């Protein structure tokens, strides 16, 4: 009887152990499966009461834990301090220091079909909604065939351009055949929209000044003489917050320089003063200051005027790919 009892107990314990191990594996597998639909890059739209803000999020799984990188309403791509997924509820936090507010910006959301949908609050604690669409790959299956070059600036006036907001004190001007940024004023946006293109643009950035060239209205190629202490991707020729120029060209405040930029899908090449500084690299997502987060659509060239200093531009020529 004792032997039978011992065998019976042994069988029961073995069965429980195996059942528990299987359940653990199943739960672990289920957790992994539940995370997968959230992983990757997302184009976000934050919906305030008066306007919409473009944003961007990348969710990764590293060493069994979730991590996230975000481009918020402004600034550069940065890691988030916290992201959690619990029973299908996604939560991530953008720190108050980055959002210029008194409290952290907490995002709550769920996967609805193939999209993210959720809530957060604005700086004044009013409720905001936000949505996320999976960022498009923008892969191209063949090399582009280039069309005819188009002069975007006539050297006389701002025909074909518009400012993003009325700003008499911060308006762009045409001086001596150049477009000059106002400094702490309006952005200036070209009326035409483009998909894949080659862009030639000449610029003169005085000391302690800052501007940028936005491609499709979403990806900033930086121009500056005031950011030497910041990361290399914030320097002239970098795709802000994502791609650093290499080699980095000597700083020459007050002298005319030029970019020749090729953008095909997400792949960018930047040539500064005849030197290739970014060669056929992928832009992961929108940069701070983007007009929208609709990466699948064509967009305009726009020049940044909201930063300090008076940066001049001339000879702005775009060669679009033929459809």
């Amino acid at each position: 009887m004792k032997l039978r009892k011992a065998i019976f107990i042994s069988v029961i314990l073995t069965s429980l152990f195996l059942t528990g191990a299987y359940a653990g594996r199943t739960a672990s597998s289920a957790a992994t499966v539940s995370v997968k639909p959230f992983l990757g890059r997302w184009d976000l739209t934050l919906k305030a009461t008066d306007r919409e803000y473009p944003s961007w999020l990348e969710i990764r799984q590293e060493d069994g834990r979730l991590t996230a990188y975000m481009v918020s309403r402004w600034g550069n791509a940065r890691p988030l301090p916290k992201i959690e997924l619990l029973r299908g509820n996604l939560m991530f936090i953008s720190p108050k220091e980055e959002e210029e507010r008194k409290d952290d910006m907490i995002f709550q959301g769920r996967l609805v079909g193939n999209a993210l949908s959720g809530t957060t609050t604005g700086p004044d604690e009013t409720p905001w909604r936000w949505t996320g669409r999976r960022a498009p790959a923008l892969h191209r299956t063949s090399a582009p065939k280039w069309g005819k070059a188009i002069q975007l600036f006539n050297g006389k006036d701002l025909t074909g351009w518009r400012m993003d907001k009325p700003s008499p004190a911060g308006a762009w001007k045409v001086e001596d055949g150049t477009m000059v940024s106002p400094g702490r004023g309006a952005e200036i946006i070209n009326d035409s929209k483009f998909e894949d293109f080659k862009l030639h643009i000449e610029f003169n950035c005085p000391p302690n000044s800052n501007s940028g060239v936005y491609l499709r209205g979403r990806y900033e190629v930086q121009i500056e003489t005031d950011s030497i202490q910041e990361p290399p991707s914030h320097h002239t020729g970098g795709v802000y917050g994502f791609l650093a120029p290499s080699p980095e060209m000597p700083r020459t405040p007050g002298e005319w320089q030029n970019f020749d930029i090729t953008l095909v899908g997400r792949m960018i090449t930047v040539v500064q003063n005849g030197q290739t500084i970014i060669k056929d690299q992928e832009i992961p997502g929108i940069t701070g200051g983007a007009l929208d987060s609709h990466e699948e659509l064509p967009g305009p060239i726009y020049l940044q005027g909201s930063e300090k200093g008076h940066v001049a531009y001339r000879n702005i020529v775009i060669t679009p790919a033929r459809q």
Side-chain angles (χ1 to χ4, degrees):
M1 289 295 292
K2 290 183 179 180
L3 180 58
R4 286 183 181 178
K5 187 175 182 179
I7 293 172
F8 176 75
I9 292 171
S10 176
V11 169
I12 292 297
L13 290 174
T14 301
S15 176
L16 288 172
F17 174 78
L18 292 175
T19 301
Y22 174 77
R25 286 196 302 272
T26 303
S28 175
S29 176
T32 301
V33 170
S34 68
V35 167
K36 284 183 179 179
F38 292 85
L39 300 180
R41 298 168 179 169
W42 298 88
D43 288 333
L44 305 186
T45 301
L46 313 186
K47 300 179 180 182
T49 54
D50 58 340
R51 58 165 294 182
E52 294 184 350
Y53 294 94
S55 187
W56 177 87
L57 180 71
E58 182 174 17
I59 302 175
R60 306 176 186 173
Q61 190 173 35
E62 300 174 340
D63 299 325
R65 67 184 187 91
L66 288 182
T67 61
Y69 290 78
M70 185 179 188
V71 175
S72 191
R73 293 167 291 163
W74 48 70
N76 56 280
R78 50 189 167 76
L80 295 183
K82 186 174 184 179
I83 179 170
E84 292 181 347
L85 181 63
L86 184 62
R87 292 189 292 276
N89 295 302
L90 181 69
M91 185 278 292
F92 54 93
I93 294 176
S94 183
K96 59 186 178 183
E97 295 81 9
E98 300 288 351
E99 298 291 345
E100 299 180 7
R101 52 188 281 170
K102 62 183 181 181
D103 57 348
D104 292 339
M105 197 167 185
I106 301 173
F107 292 78
Q108 304 277 358
R110 295 183 66 87
L111 196 62
V112 180
N114 295 322
L116 293 174
S117 180
T119 59
T120 185
T121 58
D124 59 356
E125 299 184 358
T126 57
W128 289 8
R129 296 201 62 82
W130 63 272
T131 58
R133 296 169 296 105
R134 192 166 291 282
L138 301 181
H139 291 317
R140 303 295 190 248
T141 57
S142 61
K145 295 180 179 179
W146 301 110
K148 294 182 179 180
I150 302 169
Q151 188 77 240
L152 295 184
F153 171 51
N154 63 20
K156 300 175 183 179
D157 55 39
L158 298 177
T159 299
W161 297 81
R162 62 181 175 85
M163 279 167 267
D164 71 329
K165 55 179 178 273
S167 180
W172 285 70
K173 297 178 181 179
V174 175
E175 297 178 353
D176 300 323
T178 70
M179 295 172 62
V180 182
S181 68
R184 305 297 188 192
E187 326 288 17
I188 195 164
I189 304 165
N190 190 258
D191 290 338
S192 299
K193 294 184 178 183
F194 304 95
E195 193 168 21
D196 296 343
F197 55 81
K198 296 188 294 184
L199 176 70
H200 175 84
I201 187 167
E202 299 176 11
F203 60 93
N204 188 321
C205 189
N208 200 33
S209 298
N210 192 301
S211 183
V213 180
Y214 278 78
L215 313 176
R216 297 192 197 123
R218 301 182 189 104
Y219 315 114
E220 182 189 9
V221 177
Q222 175 75 304
I223 293 172
E224 55 74 37
T225 52
D226 68 341
S227 305
I228 188 65
Q229 303 301 326
E230 296 188 24
S233 66
H234 296 194
H235 297 172
T236 294
V239 177
Y240 192 77
F242 283 123
L243 304 176
S246 181
E248 189 170 326
M249 301 299 288
R251 289 172 172 264
T252 55
E255 296 185 12
W256 281 101
Q257 303 183 67
N258 63 77
F259 287 145
D260 287 287
I261 301 168
T262 303
L263 181 64
V264 178
R266 288 191 179 279
M267 308 307 291
I268 187 172
T269 294
V270 180
V271 178
Q272 182 181 350
N273 304 332
Q275 170 70 56
T276 300
I277 57 174
I278 295 175
K279 184 175 181 180
D280 200 31
Q281 292 191 45
E282 182 187 49
I283 305 176
I286 66 170
T287 60
L291 297 178
D292 62 49
S293 58
H294 303 303
E295 293 191 90
E296 72 281 6
L297 299 178
I301 301 299
Y302 104 66
L303 307 177
Q304 189 177 45
S306 55
E307 296 288 348
K308 61 186 176 182
H310 303 287
V311 180
Y313 294 91
R314 69 185 185 189
N315 294 339
I316 307 173
V317 181
I318 195 165
T319 305
R322 293 204 302 264
Q323 298 298 318

